[in-house]
Amino acid sequence: ICESQCAIGSLDLHHVDPPSERGLGQEWRWNRKTIMTSKAKKYLNRFIEPIKKSLLKAGFKSEIITEKVAVDSLPIVRIILDSSNWNDCFAVYGLVADIYIPNPDRFKNFISVPRGDGYQAIHSTLFGPEGRMVEIWICTRDMLAGKKT
């Protein structure tokens, strides 16, 4: 497990370059403004491509956005569904989990149990190509706009 986590960690190292991180996957680093390097962008595009194909094949209309919330966090892929049915989020999660292996310790169902501020979505961490971890957040446009399901 440690070997995988160490390899995975190189995707989210920050630009400050403390001594413990020198020489570890510099091409995967994010800079201080959380702008992705070109290799990280290529990796996430490779991660997203089979998801896009699966969503289209299943008839889901969506927008997929990649982002980085904090310098030391995993990259995030948001899938925003053009649907008002919250069950579609679970169906999409099933499609994505058929493509990439989910980390069972990192799944949050904020749809059934919304956060205190009313936020609703499914959050999960998946092992993408090369075993690198990527967070995925799935919600509908209504959820994103703060409308209760």
Side-chain angles (χ1 to χ4, degrees), residues 16-69:
V16 177
D17 199 25
S20 65
E21 296 176 353
R22 285 195 182 120
L24 295 176
Q26 195 143 17
E27 68 275 9
W28 291 105
R29 293 178 188 241
W30 306 87
N31 74 18
R32 297 178 109 183
K33 295 180 182 176
T34 67
I35 296 171
M36 290 183 270
T37 64
S38 62
K39 280 201 174 190
K41 284 180 186 178
K42 285 178 186 174
Y43 176 82
L44 288 176
N45 286 336
R46 224 176 45 186
F47 177 86
I48 290 167
E49 197 56 39
I51 295 172
K52 284 181 179 178
K53 288 178 182 175
S54 182
L55 292 176
L56 284 173
K57 185 177 178 183
F60 288 106
K61 293 183 181 177
S62 65
E63 178 182 4
I64 299 179
I65 301 169
T66 59
E67 58 186 68
K68 189 89 161 114
V69 173

Side-chain angles (χ1 to χ4, degrees), residues 92-143:
V92 167
Y93 176 75
L95 293 173
V96 173
D98 282 344
I99 299 168
Y100 298 115
I101 299 170
N103 179 339
D105 296 328
R106 297 193 48 142
F107 177 85
K108 294 182 183 162
N109 177 355
F110 293 119
I111 294 173
S112 300
V113 183
R115 291 195 315 208
D117 61 0
Y119 174 81
Q120 293 182 293
I122 293 173
H123 288 199
S124 184
T125 301
L126 306 167
F127 294 98
E130 302 164 23
R132 297 182 189 276
M133 289 195 296
V134 177
E135 274 193 55
I136 192 157
W137 298 356
I138 305 167
C139 66
T140 66
R141 290 208 185 276
D142 288 347
M143 290 175 185

